Structure formats: C-alpha cells, structure tokens
Amino acid sequence: MSIDPASASGLGQLKWVNLRSSSGLQAGAATAEAQGSSSAEFAAVLQQLSAQPADEKSLSEVATLADSKALSSLIWQQLGAANVGYGSISRGTVESVPTDYEELIQTASAKYGVPVDLIKAVIDTESSFNPNVVSSAGAKGLMQLMDGTANGLGVSDPFDPAQNIDGGVRYLSYQLKRYDGEEKMALAAYNAGPGRVNKLGVSNDEELMQKLSLLPEETQAYITKIERARAEYAL
C-alpha cells in the first residue's frame, strides 16, 4: 500500500512472495519517527474528540498528528469512540462483479461508505485477490497493509481476509475523508502516503493529475490501474 522509502529506488519493481510458504522470510516491524508533535499533544486532541462531536477541523488536527507519528491502535480506538463517521464518501456502482470475498467486501463497504467496485479494484490491483502476498516493501495481504498501518487499525493478522479488508477499507475511507471525496488523491495517498500528496499542494483530482509526474512512477501507474480494474468490476 504505502511505499517504503528504503525501497524507493525499486519503484515499479515490487515483488510478491507467499509469506506463509516461505520459511526463510520474516516480517519486519514497521517504524516511524515522530516529527514535531508530542504524545501529550496527541492525547489532548483525542480527548477533545471523545468529549464532543467530531468536525472537519478536529479531524484535520488528528490527521496532521497522525502523519507525524506511527499510527497506533489508540488512534483508531479513540476515533471510533468519538463517533467519527465517514458516511457516503464516494459514489460508485451498487452492483459489481462478484468475488470470492463478496460478503466481507459488502460489509466493509456498508460500514465505511466506500463503493464496492472501488474496493474490489484496489484489492485486485494490490494483490490480485491473493491473501498471502507480501511486497518487497513489506505490505501484506489482500489490501497490502504495512505493519505500522495494520497495527494502528487493530489488524493483528494481515493475512486474515476479514481483518485485512476491514482495515484496508477503513484506511481508504480515512483518505477519502481527508481529501473530501477526491478519489485520485485518496488513492495516491493510499499508495504513496498522504505526506507525498500533501507536498504537492493540490486540492482536487484535477490539480493532482496536473502534477502527477511529481509522484513516484508506481503511484502514477497505480491510479490508472485502479480505474481500469474498477471498470471491469462495475456492472
């Protein structure tokens, strides 16, 4: 999903392996460096969210802090406690080509307000519906969750389809909310990380496409692949 800076030179050449069938491969722990915000600041924002209805400003504050620290389960638990609703973020087809994970995808779609065909397109592009793949950057499972993101979303087993789909769709819905439903921006953030998207200084999909060449080549191709796959799943 997100690009590992350490493997940036190999963009476009990510390789998948079956972790469960590879005895010599061990999952690496994801790391993140705190930049400019203390634990006390973060806790204060979360406490404020829990005490009052969430609005765009408070969600933005959490998003800013989340960008600067490793996501933890506390983040998502507190956001849930604050009743941060994503609603119907992005419109899409109601019906779509069925898959082996239909019930899980339909459930996640209804829960987080992300179109079914978009979810299927992301899974297809990320893992070709193989729940056991691991990218060379360390992303795992159907929706290719990095360890840090998976932990923050409460996903204890990224190879479990139910956990992976729920976590991946939840994270995608968070990006859609962050960018006011602009799907290309959300997808770019899902693939390359919101930090890279924010540095472009764009506010909508049209502006993003004008600066697309400034993103990693993998991300440039990713958006096109998602659109192509989505068309295949739409009915």
Side-chain angles (χ1 to χ4, degrees):
M1 181 183 65
S2 298
I3 297 173
D4 187 345
S7 62
S9 61
L11 293 177
Q13 301 296 325
L14 298 182
K15 297 181 179 180
W16 287 343
V17 295
N18 189 321
L19 186 64
R20 287 180 169 173
S21 65
S22 301
S23 59
L25 182 62
Q26 297 182 351
T31 59
E33 181 178 356
Q35 299 174 348
S37 56
S38 66
S39 298
E41 287 180 292
F42 189 66
V45 173
L46 291 177
Q47 184 175 8
Q48 182 180 6
L49 276 177
S50 298
Q52 63 184 27
D55 55 23
E56 292 299 324
K57 182 176 183 297
S58 59
L59 183 61
S60 176
E61 290 173 348
V62 172
T64 300
L65 288 172
D67 278 344
S68 65
K69 304 182 76 67
L71 292 176
S72 69
S73 58
L74 174 63
I75 299 175
W76 299 102
Q77 290 167 2
Q78 290 287 353
L79 286 176
N83 295 317
V84 177
Y86 298 106
S88 182
I89 301 167
S90 176
R91 295 182 180 180
T93 58
V94 176
E95 297 183 1
S96 62
V97 176
T99 70
D100 292 338
Y101 302 98
E102 196 66 21
E103 184 176 351
L104 296 176
I105 292 171
Q106 293 285 349
T107 298
S109 173
K111 184 177 181 180
Y112 299 114
V114 180
V116 169
D117 57 335
L118 179 58
I119 297 172
K120 292 178 180 179
V122 170
I123 296 175
D124 191 330
T125 302
E126 291 284 359
S127 66
S128 296
F129 283 88
N130 183 340
N132 297 320
V133 296
V134 182
S135 76
S136 60
K140 299 171 182 175
L142 289 169
M143 298 192 73
Q144 290 290 273
L145 301 178
M146 297 295 288
D147 286 344
T149 303
N151 291 336
L153 292 164
V155 177
S156 60
D157 181 5
F159 300 110
D160 172 35
Q163 291 190 47
N164 192 287
I165 290 175
D166 183 84
V169 175
R170 186 179 186 183
Y171 185 72
L172 180 57
S173 74
Y174 182 71
Q175 302 309 327
L176 285 163
K177 184 67 175 180
R178 180 198 295 265
Y179 298 113
D180 297 321
E182 297 289 328
E183 288 186 357
K184 290 182 175 63
M185 292 183 68
L187 290 170
Y190 189 94
N191 180 257
R196 289 179 182 266
V197 176
N198 294 341
K199 286 179 181 179
L200 297 178
V202 299
S203 59
N204 55 55
D205 286 348
E206 182 178 354
E207 293 177 359
L208 175 73
M209 296 308 289
Q210 292 173 356
K211 295 186 176 182
L212 191 63
S213 62
L214 300 179
L215 290 173
E217 290 183 6
E218 180 194 342
T219 305
Q220 296 176 42
Y222 184 79
I223 295 175
T224 300
K225 290 177 181 178
I226 293 291
E227 292 182 336
R228 186 182 302 120
R230 189 173 186 180
E232 294 177 356
Y233 284 101
L235 288 178

